[in-house]
Amino acid sequence: MAQYETEEQQVEAIKTFWKENGKAIILGAVIGFGGIFGWDYYKDHKVAQAEAASAQYAEAFNSIVAGSDDQTEFVEKAETLKQDFSSSTYAALAALKLAELEVSSDNFDAAMEQLRWVVDQGNKTFAPVAQVRLARILLAQEQYDAAIAEVDAVTSEAYKASALMVKGEAQLAKGDREAAKNTFIQARDASQTAPHPLLALRLSEFGIEK
């Protein structure tokens, strides 16, 4: 009888527990499984997006006609890629290529627009590339202060030396030789490989050993 009462008490305890907590447990399980399946869906979706962007970029790049000034097909495909997959690496690559084509046609304003787009997207890999190239165009247009401001915003260590080189050239063009000298030294110290030939030339002009 005692055993029966114990079992009965256990059953009643279980019933009471489920009555009080059952909904919460079931809801938690649903949310938990939903989170798992939701995460799997998210990962699959991201992979699918990356593959689609890659295919679209390859299609766009393959449309480039070597040696031709008319790259209409590539421009159209690249702009579509930017619109459809704006946050992807391939969209950034497409914009960089568009900027390159614009520079080759002396369309500097259009090139800067493409480079600014890459910077604004915040791609950690290609935003610094775009910043340095944008600064070089500004330097060529004798917008020295704007060029300096652009490279001062570069935080990537991998592009620090290139950024400092542009800054030094801008300072030199402004006639501030002492500031330029110090900047070229900083560029040398930031170089992760052998100094760029132009940097080596500047250092030599200032009588600085490599």
Side-chain angles (χ1 to χ4, degrees):
M1 184 64 176
Q3 178 65 29
Y4 173 78
E5 288 178 350
T6 301
E7 292 176 356
E8 187 177 51
Q9 289 170 355
Q10 289 176 346
V11 170
E12 288 301 321
I14 292 171
K15 286 181 179 179
T16 301
F17 176 80
W18 275 103
K19 184 177 181 180
E20 294 176 352
N21 303 288
K23 289 183 179 179
I25 292 173
I26 292 171
L27 180 60
V30 169
I31 292 174
F33 282 116
I36 293 171
F37 291 125
W39 174 245
D40 287 342
Y41 170 79
Y42 174 77
K43 288 192 296 182
D44 291 343
H45 177 67
K46 295 295 285 185
V47 169
Q49 275 200 320
E51 290 176 348
S54 174
Q56 199 163 323
Y57 175 75
E59 183 180 346
F61 196 81
N62 289 337
S63 70
I64 294 177
V65 181
S68 174
D69 293 331
D70 184 10
Q71 303 292 351
T72 304
E73 185 177 357
F74 171 76
V75 172
E76 291 177 353
K77 291 180 182 296
E79 290 293 351
T80 299
L81 175 59
K82 286 170 57 184
Q83 182 176 346
D84 292 347
F85 304 99
S86 60
S87 62
S88 71
T89 294
Y90 299 101
L93 283 169
L96 288 174
K97 185 62 181 179
L98 286 169
E100 182 183 324
L101 293 175
E102 296 292 3
V103 168
S104 66
S105 299
D106 295 331
N107 298 325
F108 298 113
D109 288 342
M112 287 194 291
E113 184 178 338
Q114 293 293 343
L115 294 170
R116 178 60 62 195
W117 185 89
V118 177
V119 175
D120 291 344
Q121 292 306 306
N123 185 292
K124 292 182 179 180
T125 302
F126 294 109
V129 178
Q131 286 175 299
V132 172
R133 292 184 182 181
L134 184 56
R136 285 173 180 161
I137 294 175
L138 291 168
L139 177 64
Q141 294 183 325
E142 300 183 357
Q143 298 183 47
Y144 304 128
D145 289 334
I148 292 171
E150 195 64 50
V151 291
D152 277 346
V154 175
T155 58
S156 171
E157 290 300 322
Y159 295 95
K160 205 66 178 177
S162 296
L164 288 167
M165 281 178 58
V166 176
K167 182 175 182 177
E169 289 297 321
Q171 291 170 327
L172 194 60
K174 291 178 65 177
D176 194 345
R177 290 184 58 82
E178 189 61 28
K181 175 183 176 181
N182 292 332
T183 299
F184 288 136
I185 292 173
Q186 292 174 28
R188 178 200 62 187
D189 295 342
S191 297
Q192 298 178 355
T193 58
H196 186 278
L198 177 58
L199 176 56
L201 175 63
R202 292 303 189 205
L203 292 171
S204 176
E205 290 174 353
F206 282 104
I208 302 169
E209 295 183 2
K210 303 177 186 179

